[in-house]
Every structure is written in C-alpha cells, then in structure tokens.
Amino acid sequence: MTKIEMKNPIVEMDGDEMTRVIWQLVKDKLICPFVNLKTEYYDLSLINREATKDKVTSDAANATLKHHVAVKCATITPNAQRVEEYNLSEMWKSPNGTIRAILDGTVFRAPVLVKGVTPLVPTWTSPIIIARHAYGDVYKNVERRVEQGDKAYLVVEGKNPSKDLIFDFADTAGVVQGQHNLDKSIYSFARSCFNFALSEKKDLWFSTKDTISKKYDHRFKDIFQEVYDAEYKEKFEKAGIEYFYTLIDDAVARVMRSNGGMIWAIKNYDGDVMSDMVATAFGSLAMMTSVLVSPDGNYEYEAAHGTVTRHYYRYLRGEKTSTNPVATIFAWTGAFKKRGELDLTPELVAFAEKLEKAVIDTIESGYMTKDLAALFDKSKKTHALNTEEFFDAIASRL
Ligand code: NAP
Ligand code: MG
C-alpha cells in the first residue's frame, strides 16, 4: 500500500508518563502504517525540559508560529514533589502557559461523542465547545479585607486621573477587590473565536453580564461586535453561520435547552466553571479534546487530561492498564485535518476522518477502555479492554 504523503510538517510536542506511552502507540499502530509522517519533533518531557533549561518549550512554540499546526502530548507541570522526583534545578513553568504566552491564543474544549454514552443532558446531541478567555479578571486580581470605618476607592492615575468611592465601610468590616483586563487581550480573544467558528463551521455565541457591568463587561461586548462587523460578518454569512450575543444567564438557559453544536465564548471565570460542568455532562475527561487557536491562525491540538500518573506507575510495575487514548488520538486527527486543509491535501483529511470513525465505531460496537465501560449503556454488551487491546481493536477496523 502506498502511504499518504504530507507536504508540510506538523510540530510534534512529546510529553510525559502514561500519555507518552500512548503517544508512541498512536504513531506505531494508527498513523505510521498509513501516513509518511512528517513532523518537527520536540521532546517536552520533564527530563528534556530540565536538560535544555526549558528552552525546548519555547522552541516548540516558536516552531508552531512557523508551521501553524502543532500536536502536543500531556506534560507534567512541576510542583515541589516533582522537583524532588526528577531532581530539577528549577520548578519549570507550566509548558501550556509558556506556549500560550508565545502563541497568544484562546483554548477551545470539545467533547468526543459516542452512542452509548448518553450526556447527562439528553438533548445535547452535538458537542458544545467552550471558548474560555484565559487572561485577567479575578485570576489577576488585587483584593483585601477592610476594617469597619475604612473607605475603599478605585483610583486611576495618568492622563485622566479619577477617584471613585467603591464603598464606605462606616458600619461594618468587609472585603474589596480590583480586577482588570486589556483591550489587546480581548481583541485577540474575539479574533480567535471568530476564526475558530469559521474553521469549524459552527455558530458562535458570546455572553457576559453587560447589563450590570456597564463598562467592564460592556467593553468585551463592544470589542466582539466591532471585530465581527469589520472583519468577519461577510465570512460568516458566506459560511452560513451566525454570531450571537446574549446575557450570560440567558445563555445558560438557552444552552440547557439546546441540542448543542455551538461554540460558546465566555469570560475567564465563566469558562472555568462552565467547562467543568459541560465536560462532566458529556461523560469523561478522557474524551475531551482541546485546541489552542491563536488570533493569527496557528493551531495547537491536545487532550484535555493530564499525564495519567497513577496508570503510569502501574505500567512501570509491569501491570496492564486500561488508559483511554481517545482524546490523544483526536488531538492527532485534529492536527492532520488542519494540516490537510492548509496544504490542500484532502487525502490527509480523509485519513483523519477514517481514524476518528474507526475509534467511534470500535467503542459503539462495545469495545472500550474501563473508564468508558463504566459509563456505557447497561443494556449493551461491553468489553473492557486494556490499553494495547483497545489500540489493536481500532487498528484492525482502520
Ligand atoms: P490526569 O492525568 O488527568 O488524571 C487524573 C485521573 O483521571 C487519572 O488518575 C484517571 O483516573 C483519570 N484519567 C485521566 N485521563 C484518563 C485517561 N486518558 N484514561 C483513563 N483515565 C483517565 O490528572 P492529574 O493526575 O491531576 O495530573 C497528572 C499530571 O498531569 C500532573 O503532573 C499534571 O501537572 C499534568 N497535567 C498536564 C496537563 C496538560 O499537559 N495539558 C493537564 C492536566 C494535568 P483513575 O486513576 O481513577 O483511573
Ligand atoms: Mg475549573
């Protein structure tokens, strides 16, 4: 059989622990037999981040700016325990944080749906993709307790100085908080969302609480509308998709009643909360994919889960694990589809679609890893496979 050729490389970011094991299996069993795989390889394992003083992470992100498509394996974000375990010279920063800072993007999370795993909201027949703004607000706040008798002001120094009373705590003690955001960050959030909606051909919803927050949240609303009107309106009309703004509480009610299928852009805190709700309602973290989209059209695909440490220690002891590779496989297929679309190589897109179908058909016919078997339709016969058996089941279908 002749293998599918790739015109340009994908930036490949390898990672840690059980997901590193899975990474190799995806390539060996599902990709390399069919595709003449062309990647620019960066080893983001903690061992190599230590060896390169974390230079490999920024190199990989910069390579993504050049090649526009990347796929990333889950990586350890070091904490004190990891510093000891890996004998690190420094507590290296989160690779995702470093990559995001270089690509300047928005993270979109989407569930993979299979028949047999019914979402907790049964009307959600299509995926809901959450686009979370990941800069500022309460995550970069200043806050303090105040005593009875204190007064708190919002003070701005500079060209137009101002001093607004927040509250006079004459009668009681309390708390006070300051938040900020940046026009630049909101503009790139908006562009990432509009680009992603076009790329996925799905409607884009955006919601804030602008009726209450008439300057802060309203700024978000205005920037989205301005960018939409100036840069995306025609493209959306041509693609037959819609941009729709509504209040956050109205959006929550509409999402619950919907069949899914939209991209829902929300502010940082709303995204933090709602993405966990949506992920849980759709089933399992192991079925959740994630893509970082930069405002100027770079894409980095990954699984939303971590390195599955507990399974890795079992694997090291020589035991069989039942680790779900679906989100990692879909990170690869997402990257192949984007590479194929940018390079005009439809055979690469078709391969990615066939691989996704093989994964879904395997599960829907009752062959899956343990985490899914626990959620699966109890009226169907299910086979809980170990990691390798599940790969072989997919490979034979493919
Ligand atoms: P995790 O790796 O997502 O695993 C948490 C638990 O969820 C696992 O122990 C397992 O439960 C279940 N699980 C997750 N993915 C699964 C899969 N594919 N198949 C089956 N079960 C799965 O999260 P964590 O244990 O909090 O973090 C481990 C490491 O990952 C940390 O060092 C963290 O820094 C890193 N991390 C990286 C990323 C990233 O690179 N994007 C994201 C999050 C965390 P059972 O053990 O009960 O089976
Ligand atoms: Mg959260």
Side-chain angles (χ1 to χ4, degrees):
M1 198 181 88
T2 38
K3 290 194 189 181
I4 296 160
E5 293 297 331
M6 294 174 64
K7 276 192 200 157
N8 291 298
I10 288 172
V11 176
E12 175 185 354
M13 307 181 192
D14 208 344
D16 290 300
E17 300 195 312
M18 200 60 210
T19 39
R20 188 179 177 94
V21 176
I22 283 177
W23 196 257
Q24 197 60 47
L25 287 169
V26 176
K27 289 201 288 178
D28 290 348
K29 290 188 185 268
L30 304 178
I31 297 173
C32 293
F34 309 102
V35 178
N36 216 344
L37 183 63
K38 201 165 165 183
T39 70
E40 198 168 296
Y41 180 86
Y42 293 86
D43 182 2
L44 266 58
S45 67
L46 189 49
I47 294 169
N48 196 45
R49 276 179 278 151
E50 168 71 16
T52 61
K53 301 270 167 239
D54 206 25
K55 187 173 169 295
V56 66
T57 308
S58 44
D59 285 351
N62 285 316
T64 308
L65 293 176
K66 183 172 161 205
H67 297 298
H68 312 301
V69 184
V71 59
K72 180 179 168 292
C73 180
T75 48
I76 293 168
T77 298
N79 54 16
Q81 182 263 321
R82 297 294 197 170
V83 169
E84 203 168 301
E85 182 183 352
Y86 283 83
N87 197 15
L88 302 180
S89 59
E90 240 181 81
M91 197 186 289
W92 303 111
K93 283 194 197 150
S94 150
N96 286 340
T98 304
I99 294 166
R100 234 189 69 81
I102 292 172
L103 298 185
D104 178 24
T106 300
V107 174
F108 298 84
R109 273 181 150 202
V112 177
L113 301 193
V114 292
K115 286 194 202 79
V117 180
T118 312
L120 297 173
V121 181
T123 50
W124 287 359
T125 49
S126 298
I128 294 168
I129 301 177
I130 298 248
R132 171 184 172 184
H133 186 219
Y135 178 83
D137 302 349
V138 71
Y139 302 86
K140 259 193 184 303
N141 71 348
V142 181
E143 56 182 25
R144 60 172 66 242
R145 292 213 48 168
V146 292
E147 305 291 338
Q148 181 180 355
D150 289 353
K151 282 184 186 171
Y153 294 92
L154 182 64
V155 178
V156 179
E157 296 173 340
K159 272 187 230 152
N160 296 303
S162 63
K163 183 174 175 183
D164 299 297
L165 180 69
I166 297 171
F167 198 73
D168 181 350
F169 294 84
D171 300 330
T172 175
V175 282
V176 67
Q177 179 183 75
Q179 297 186 20
H180 80 281
N181 221 299
L182 306 173
D183 281 4
K184 178 173 173 271
S185 176
I186 305 166
Y187 275 106
S188 66
F189 176 42
R191 291 195 177 99
S192 299
C193 291
F194 290 125
N195 280 341
F196 193 65
L198 282 171
S199 151
E200 294 287 307
K201 298 188 181 49
K202 289 185 195 298
D203 290 343
L204 177 68
W205 295 17
F206 179 47
S207 42
T208 71
K209 192 71 184 177
D210 68 288
T211 46
I212 298 297
S213 175
K214 291 187 195 312
K215 297 222 168 82
Y216 197 109
D217 279 19
H218 216 284
R219 186 75 191 130
F220 282 76
K221 180 185 177 183
D222 287 346
I223 287 176
F224 266 69
Q225 196 61 48
E226 177 199 324
V227 170
Y228 178 69
D229 290 340
E231 301 169 29
Y232 292 95
K233 196 165 190 291
E234 273 171 38
K235 292 178 192 156
F236 267 52
E237 282 163 6
K238 212 176 273 172
I241 56 174
E242 200 190 347
Y243 168 61
F244 170 64
Y245 176 85
T246 188
L247 280 174
I248 182 77
D249 33 2
D250 180 50
V252 168
R254 285 172 187 260
V255 164
M256 292 307 292
R257 288 195 305 263
S258 78
N259 299 124
M262 77 295 280
I263 297 164
W264 185 20
I266 33 190
K267 288 175 61 202
N268 210 348
Y269 177 82
D270 299 332
D272 186 349
V273 176
M274 288 299 159
S275 65
D276 283 17
M277 189 191 73
V278 168
T280 307
F282 274 111
S284 157
L285 195 57
M287 301 291 278
M288 187 63 69
T289 64
S290 177
V291 54
L292 174 69
V293 180
S294 81
D296 36 33
N298 302 302
Y299 296 79
E300 183 230 342
Y301 296 84
E302 66 171 338
H305 60 77
T307 58
V308 212
T309 310
R310 294 211 318 199
H311 294 212
Y312 183 58
Y313 288 130
R314 257 179 264 152
Y315 167 86
L316 288 181
R317 288 196 299 269
E319 294 167 25
K320 295 271 183 233
T321 72
S322 184
T323 315
N324 187 336
V326 170
T328 302
I329 297 170
F330 275 66
W332 276 99
T333 55
F336 281 136
K337 284 195 276 186
K338 185 52 69 180
R339 185 76 279 169
E341 184 194 315
L342 296 178
D343 292 353
L344 304 175
T345 47
E347 57 281 12
L348 197 60
V349 178
F351 167 73
E353 284 166 353
K354 282 178 188 154
L355 175 49
E356 290 181 354
K357 187 170 180 332
V359 170
I360 287 169
D361 287 353
T362 302
I363 298 169
E364 289 181 349
S365 60
Y367 297 86
M368 63 199 79
T369 47
K370 267 190 197 157
D371 57 310
L372 279 186
L375 302 170
F376 211 75
D377 184 350
K378 296 289 175 272
S379 70
K380 301 262 163 60
K381 188 169 166 45
T382 56
H383 311 262
L385 306 180
N386 69 41
T387 310
E388 294 225 12
E389 288 169 341
F390 184 58
F391 269 102
D392 290 335
I394 300 167
S396 65
R397 276 182 183 270
L398 186 60

